[in-house]
Amino acid sequence: MKYICLGYLEPNKFENMSESERNTLLDECFGYNDELRKNGHLIAEEPLQPANTAVTVCWKDGKVAVTDGPYAEQKEQLGGIQVLEARDLNHAIQLISQCPGVKLKCGTIEIRPAADINEMIKESEQRRRRKDTSR
């Protein structure tokens, strides 16, 4: 089963580390990610630019509204995502808890099971085909 891991970081915690501390942490994290990938657990990973580069898109007053930054004002900001393949939630927790970045205590990692929407997609395709053929 796939699990999405959302990494939330305290602003400036990583930036305020010494270069040596940052390099050590990055080397440990990337090494652990290599191990996860080699064992078939790490499917994808994407770091994000800082929260001040984000925009939020929503529907407001009958049109699209775009605002700067993340929608929710919060101490921690989303820093990146990983997609893990794990047997169950406990296995996903075990895999993430061994990540060196967790020990840094600069944020939290939210783990959610990925939703399987394949059936919904198939049903939607069937409905859209029926609409197209009925025209």
Side-chain angles (χ1 to χ4, degrees):
M1 180 166 196
K2 288 184 182 133
Y3 290 87
I4 310 302
C5 304
L6 306 168
Y8 292 90
L9 305 172
E10 287 183 32
N12 300 318
K13 178 96 178 202
F14 182 77
E15 292 80 7
N16 289 334
M17 297 171 76
S18 72
E19 182 177 355
S20 174
E21 290 172 320
R22 280 194 307 269
N23 289 340
T24 298
L25 176 65
L26 289 172
D27 293 349
E28 289 175 0
C29 288
F30 292 150
Y32 184 64
N33 288 352
D34 287 344
E35 184 180 322
L36 288 173
R37 199 176 293 105
K38 180 180 76 178
N39 292 320
H41 296 299
L42 183 59
I43 296 170
E45 61 183 328
E46 285 298 329
L48 299 173
Q49 294 288 328
N52 65 357
T53 66
V55 296
T56 301
V57 178
C58 67
W59 191 258
K60 187 175 183 179
D61 299 325
K63 61 183 178 181
V64 172
V66 179
T67 57
D68 291 337
Y71 179 71
E73 292 295 325
Q74 56 192 30
K75 184 176 179 181
E76 296 178 329
Q77 301 294 329
L78 183 61
I81 65 167
Q82 289 185 317
V83 180
L84 295 181
E85 181 67 40
R87 291 184 303 275
D88 54 30
L89 180 58
N90 287 332
H91 187 218
I93 292 168
Q94 177 187 14
L95 293 170
I96 284 299
S97 66
Q98 296 173 39
C99 178
V102 171
K103 297 173 189 159
L104 179 61
K105 299 179 186 172
C106 65
T108 58
I109 298 176
E110 177 182 342
I111 302 173
R112 290 193 201 181
D116 182 358
I117 64 168
N118 288 324
E119 192 59 36
M120 286 189 284
I121 291 170
K122 287 178 189 175
E123 291 170 0
S124 174
E125 288 170 346
Q126 291 170 355
R127 286 190 302 271
R128 289 179 281 149
R129 272 193 300 258
R130 283 194 298 267
K131 283 183 184 177
D132 288 342
T133 59
S134 66
R135 289 182 189 178

